[in-house]
């Protein structure tokens, strides 16, 4: 129950553990120096809260569902966590804002003394909160997650440590996949150029007709094929990219909110509010409160 107690203490910092959080622990059958804990939250209303990770612990997260803004007071760094985010929390204080939607995270918890290479990893991530993105459908790390959580028999310590090492490797990978960083997983390279163009130039007046023309498709054929290959309608895809880029600009890069809206082509706060709520589960007011929170800025 080592990891379960750590997670309980983290999520109950300064107050009783919220009832909307369900926790389940998975221990190795041999050496119990690493534990896996699945955390499921109902997140009925976005609410900023602070929590502390013990100095002698390391938490490695694999986000399976839901969106969260998280700020590291140590690194003075903010990340938007989405489905597929893998990240590392070491000792210190954090602020978090969970979107109004269910979320599910798998945590690997280990004593810091048992994890080698942390300082090297921090140098590689240049002082940012260590985070990367994986494809939940095809990444080999997910087979290791499923082996730990889905088997009727306990797995060996080595399965846990191998998964943790793979996540460290992913986070320190110097060449990031632009599409994957924005949650785009393609089974066909046909749309790679188009998706990259939307990510790099979200302020353009993207329409289905323009996108179809770039791919040399009819509008009808493009719409059907794009949805089949990406899991999104093109209009939904553009909205998702704009929402993620705007939130990153506001919370990570400290760009004024109105300027961020213009940079991603949202136009106005009303339009941004609809896009944020539809794509991320946050309102503009939620993001503003988080980016301007005195609890965050007080420690800078």
């Amino acid at each position: 129950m080592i990891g379960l107690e750590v997670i309980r203490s983290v999520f109950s910092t300064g107050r009783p553990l919220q009832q909307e959080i369900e926790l389940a622990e998975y221990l190795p059958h041999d050496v119990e120096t690493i534990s896996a804990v699945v955390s499921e939250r109902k997140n009925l209303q976005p609410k900023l809260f602070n929590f502390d990770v013990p100095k002698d612990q390391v938490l490695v997260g694999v986000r399976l569902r839901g969106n969260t803004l998280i700020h590291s007071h140590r690194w003075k760094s903010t990340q938007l966590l989405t489905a597929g985010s893998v990240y590392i929390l070491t000792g210190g204080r954090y602020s978090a804002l969970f979107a109004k939607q269910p979320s599910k995270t798998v945590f690997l918890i280990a004593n810091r003394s048992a994890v080698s290479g942390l300082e090297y990893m921090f140098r590689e991530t240049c002082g940012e909160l260590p985070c990367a993105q994986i494809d939940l459908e095809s990444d080999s790390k997910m087979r290791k997650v499923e082996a730990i959580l889905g088997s009727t028999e306990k797995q060996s310590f080595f399965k846990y440590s191998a998964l943790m090492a793979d996540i460290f490797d992913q986070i320190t990978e110097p060449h990031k996949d632009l599409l994957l960083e924005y949650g785009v997983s393609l089974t066909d390279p046909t749309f790679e150029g188009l998706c990259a163009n939307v990510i790099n130039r979200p302020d353009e007046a993207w329409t289905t007709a323009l996108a179809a023309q770039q791919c040399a498709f009819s509008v009808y054929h493009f719409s059907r094929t794009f949805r089949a290959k990406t899991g999104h309608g093109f209009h939904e895809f553009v909205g998702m990219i704009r929402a993620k880029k705007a939130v990153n600009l506001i919370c990570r890069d400290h760009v004024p909110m109105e300027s961020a809206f213009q940079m991603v082509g949202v136009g106005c706060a009303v339009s941004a509010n609809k896009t944020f709520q539809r794509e991320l589960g946050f309102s503009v007011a939620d993001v503003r409160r988080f980016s301007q929170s005195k609890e965050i800025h007080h420690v800078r």
Side-chain angles (χ1 to χ4, degrees):
M1 304 292 285
I2 299 173
L4 194 59
E5 292 306 315
V6 171
I7 293 295
R8 280 176 175 160
S9 67
V10 165
F11 287 146
S12 63
T13 302
R15 51 175 168 59
L17 185 65
Q18 296 178 18
Q19 294 301 310
E20 66 266 24
I21 303 175
E22 296 182 5
L23 304 173
E25 185 171 30
Y26 299 80
L27 292 167
H29 67 71
D30 42 17
V31 183
E32 295 185 358
T33 58
I34 297 180
S35 172
V37 174
V38 178
S39 169
E40 296 192 65
R41 304 174 63 102
K42 296 179 182 178
N43 305 322
L44 302 177
Q45 193 67 36
K47 183 178 181 181
L48 187 149
F49 69 95
N50 294 323
F51 64 92
D52 298 296
V53 174
K55 292 181 179 180
D56 60 345
Q57 300 292 324
V58 175
L59 276 62
V60 177
V62 181
R63 176 57 59 86
L64 303 182
R65 184 170 65 245
N67 300 314
T68 305
L69 280 165
I70 187 166
H71 176 83
S72 166
H73 292 291
R74 175 186 178 187
W75 301 114
K76 300 178 177 61
S77 168
T78 301
Q79 293 286 358
L80 172 63
L81 305 178
T82 62
S85 292
V86 292
Y87 55 101
I88 300 173
L89 305 180
T90 54
R93 170 147 286 210
Y94 298 85
S95 295
L97 179 71
F98 284 81
K100 187 180 179 180
Q101 56 190 206
S103 66
K104 183 176 182 179
T105 308
V106 178
F107 288 104
L108 296 174
I109 301 104
N111 291 327
R112 181 164 180 150
S113 59
V115 180
S116 60
L118 279 177
E119 295 307 319
Y120 169 78
M121 183 199 65
F122 293 146
R123 289 197 300 271
E124 289 294 296
T125 55
C126 302
E128 294 289 326
L129 196 157
C131 182
Q133 202 75 15
I134 64 172
D135 185 343
L136 293 177
E137 297 295 327
S138 63
D139 196 287
S140 60
K141 286 179 276 299
M142 289 308 299
R143 290 197 290 273
K144 293 177 181 176
V145 171
E146 291 163 1
I148 292 171
L149 305 185
S151 175
T152 56
E153 298 181 358
K154 288 185 176 182
Q155 300 298 307
S156 168
F157 155 84
F158 293 105
K159 283 283 182 69
Y160 292 70
S161 60
L163 174 58
M164 184 176 283
D166 284 354
I167 292 173
F168 276 35
D169 185 59
Q170 181 83 31
I171 288 173
T172 55
E173 173 61 45
H175 304 292
K176 304 295 185 182
D177 185 325
L178 176 66
L179 301 186
L180 189 57
E181 287 298 297
Y182 280 87
V184 182
S185 175
L186 292 177
T187 56
D188 188 316
T190 306
F191 301 117
E192 285 183 359
L194 172 64
C195 292
N197 286 340
V198 174
I199 293 171
N200 289 323
R201 302 195 301 273
D203 59 322
E204 289 196 8
W206 290 103
T207 64
T208 304
L210 176 61
Q213 183 181 19
Q214 286 196 14
C215 298
F217 282 8
S218 70
V219 172
Y220 175 74
H221 184 50
F222 169 80
S223 295
R224 292 184 62 192
T225 309
F226 188 86
R227 183 178 291 277
K229 298 298 183 181
T230 67
H232 304 280
F234 184 69
H235 179 73
E236 297 168 346
F237 171 76
V238 173
M240 177 184 72
I241 297 302
R242 285 173 171 168
K244 289 182 178 180
K245 293 209 77 169
V247 168
N248 282 336
L249 286 168
I250 296 164
C251 295
R252 188 181 64 192
D253 301 329
H254 313 299
V255 173
M257 188 166 278
E258 291 72 18
S259 299
F261 295 160
Q262 293 179 1
M263 292 169 69
V264 302
V266 174
C268 66
V270 173
S271 179
N273 197 52
K274 292 179 180 177
T275 301
F276 282 17
Q277 289 185 327
R278 182 180 65 246
E279 304 300 338
L280 299 176
F282 298 118
S283 68
V284 166
D286 294 330
V287 175
R288 180 184 288 110
R289 280 195 296 268
F290 186 85
S291 65
Q292 298 177 352
S293 170
K294 294 180 180 178
E295 294 170 326
I296 291 174
H297 290 275
H298 177 71
V299 297
R300 287 185 175 173

